[in-house]
Amino acid sequence: MRTRFLLTMVAAALTLLVAAPAEAGPTGTPAERAREIATALRKDPLYIDPAYKTALPANLQVDVRAKAKALGYPVYTMVLPLTPSDEFQGEESTVLTLVMDALRQPGLYVVVDGGSRFPWYEVRDVSQVSEEKLQAARKRALDDEGYDAGPTEVLARMYELLAQPGIPKTSQRPGSSTPSRRDYGEPGGHGWIVAVSIVGGLVVLIGLGLVIGRTRGSGPGRRQNTFQIPPHVAATVAAERRRRLTRETDAELTALGSELAALPTTEGAGLAHQQAALDGHAAAARVLDSSPDLVDLVGAMVLLDKARREYDAAVAAAAGRRVDAVPDLCAFNPLHGRASGRPTKVESDGTTLTLPLCAECRQALKRHSAPASLPGKDGPYWHDDSLWARTFFGTTGDDLAGAVSRGELHR
């Protein structure tokens, strides 16, 4: 009953463009569903699932088609109702991989959950667009359209930005800071990224808290904000975002568990990576079983991300391939995505830490301002007395999974 109430509040308060369809079990195999979508894309490069046909206005569909066509290279766009019970188990990365294999055409492939606004993409044999520009266009589109925009609005803005010369600049309005794709670009195609679909909402919530706090503390001589989102709406959005994070974390736990079970035992370095992946997976399951709060939930996500990277390394070692280095997630807020550039030295009260940080957090430190931290019980999460705070989500130590297994999560 509580979940239904929260979902109802979200729909009423934010006036979502489309309502999420009821979940239904898969009607065929993933490959069959991918071939069905690929066949439709050959006729129309914008595929909208029948569940959304009447919910997405025709003029918005025309806008997406026109702006995608103006790019000058093939763009295949899919709006689907992604749920854990569908053929793709709700995974955007699975949709992209299977549809690309079925269509076998060069182009930019983009998929978005029709009840969300976060597009995920892959590129096949298109030299006209760079990863840097795709990331920048996606982030700018999310910022420009706002967290309550519909999927077609964000897609149209993203394609419009891609058509412009140069790399789109960051929007000046407060918005989300999200990774460009579910994997954050790591090899293997399964990179972990649940976070991605919720990053915008969480960052917006942090901003809402700051706005509300400034409003309450303002005196007669201070300028009042002309618009404030009510606290109960912010709480409803937070609950919905957490629900989605929980759902996708559970899905990744199941998916990685199945892949680890099917991985043959390796030797040497491959065996070490395999064991590390198993340990990380077990630790994440233990955290999730403890009915975690938001910070614990993100900690489980981080453990699964580390386990996924160890799994990819084990597979590479077994095949005799080089193990690619993949950056850690941002230490201040893992939901920001992967660290960029070299680790950053952070000094406070005579103590210096070297932390992996995303570009946004590094820029905040350069401006001598506080980064957009993951919120804890009373301020930034690192003020809490937890394993995540003591190790900045494992970025200052090597054995996060081992610490969880030793009961050091909360002490």
Side-chain angles (χ1 to χ4, degrees):
M1 290 297 293
R2 183 181 180 186
T3 301
R4 291 175 59 190
F5 173 75
L6 293 176
L7 292 175
T8 302
M9 286 293 293
V10 171
L14 299 182
T15 319
L16 294 179
L17 176 63
V18 291
E23 294 188 6
T27 57
T29 67
E32 289 172 343
R33 177 64 173 135
R35 286 194 293 270
E36 176 186 335
I37 295 173
T39 299
L41 287 172
R42 290 188 180 96
K43 300 176 182 178
D44 183 349
L46 173 61
Y47 175 82
I48 299 176
D49 188 273
Y52 295 122
K53 281 291 186 183
T54 59
L56 294 175
N59 63 312
L60 295 182
Q61 297 181 37
V62 170
D63 195 30
V64 172
R65 287 188 179 92
K67 289 177 178 176
K69 186 176 181 180
L71 290 175
Y73 50 82
V75 179
Y76 301 102
T77 307
M78 296 160 276
V79 182
L80 304 175
L82 295 173
T83 68
S85 60
D86 65 25
E87 293 88 350
F88 306 114
Q89 296 184 326
E91 295 291 333
E92 290 92 343
S93 60
T94 304
V95 175
L96 291 167
T97 299
L98 293 179
V99 172
M100 289 170 67
D101 287 346
L103 193 56
R104 296 185 179 279
Q105 294 294 325
L108 170 62
Y109 291 74
V110 183
V111 63
V112 63
D113 183 341
S116 178
R117 70 183 190 104
F118 297 91
W120 312 103
Y121 63 79
E122 290 286 352
V123 181
R124 168 174 283 182
D125 299 331
V126 175
S127 59
Q128 297 97 312
V129 63
S130 67
E131 175 68 18
E132 181 184 8
K133 186 166 186 177
L134 280 165
Q135 288 186 19
R138 180 185 186 274
K139 183 183 184 301
R140 175 66 184 268
L142 289 167
D143 287 346
D144 285 354
E145 293 303 319
Y147 69 93
D148 56 347
T152 50
E153 295 169 290
V154 175
L155 288 169
R157 179 58 176 156
M158 177 178 167
Y159 296 156
E160 182 180 30
L161 291 166
L162 286 173
Q164 297 176 3
I167 305 298
K169 295 181 180 180
T170 303
S171 173
Q172 296 302 310
R173 59 174 284 178
S176 61
S177 174
T178 51
S180 65
R181 57 209 291 180
R182 188 178 214 60
D183 317 287
Y184 298 102
E186 74 256 37
H190 291 90
W192 171 211
I193 303 314
V194 318
V196 212
S197 59
I198 61 156
V199 175
L202 289 173
V203 173
V204 166
L205 290 177
I206 295 170
L208 289 175
L210 294 174
V211 169
I212 294 168
R214 284 198 298 268
T215 302
R216 290 177 176 174
S218 58
R222 296 193 181 184
R223 181 180 179 181
Q224 297 293 321
N225 290 303
T226 59
F227 175 75
Q228 299 122 28
I229 295 180
H232 68 276
V233 175
T236 300
V237 176
E240 169 62 11
R241 298 298 181 182
R242 180 176 168 180
R243 182 196 68 80
R244 185 181 178 102
L245 176 58
T246 301
R247 186 191 76 184
E248 298 218 17
T249 304
D250 286 336
E252 170 67 4
L253 184 74
T254 301
L256 181 58
S258 298
E259 292 172 59
L260 285 168
L263 184 65
T265 301
T266 58
E267 298 179 352
L271 179 60
H273 288 302
Q274 184 179 24
Q275 187 59 55
L278 290 167
D279 291 343
H281 182 270
R286 182 171 180 173
V287 172
L288 290 174
D289 287 343
S290 66
S291 299
D293 58 18
L294 175 62
V295 178
D296 287 335
L297 193 56
V298 173
M301 182 201 80
V302 171
L303 284 163
L304 282 173
D305 178 75
K306 290 178 179 290
R308 170 64 70 182
R309 286 183 283 156
E310 293 290 351
Y311 168 84
D312 289 341
V315 172
R321 293 186 283 105
R322 182 174 62 87
V323 178
D324 294 324
V326 179
D328 285 322
L329 297 173
C330 177
F332 284 150
N333 190 337
L335 298 177
H336 286 173
R338 299 219 175 274
S340 65
R342 295 180 179 179
T344 304
K345 288 187 177 181
V346 180
E347 298 182 6
S348 178
D349 298 329
T351 301
T352 301
L353 295 174
T354 302
L355 301 174
L357 301 179
C358 68
E360 179 183 351
C361 287
R362 285 194 293 109
Q363 289 300 319
L365 291 177
K366 288 182 179 180
R367 295 191 302 266
H368 303 288
S369 60
S373 163
L374 182 71
K377 296 176 182 177
D378 185 20
Y381 83 88
W382 59 76
H383 288 177
D384 299 344
D385 183 19
S386 68
L387 174 64
W388 319 122
R390 292 190 296 273
T391 66
F392 281 88
F393 284 105
T395 59
T396 62
D398 295 329
D399 192 12
L400 187 62
V404 171
S405 67
R406 292 191 298 270
E408 297 179 14
L409 188 57
H410 298 282
R411 69 181 186 189

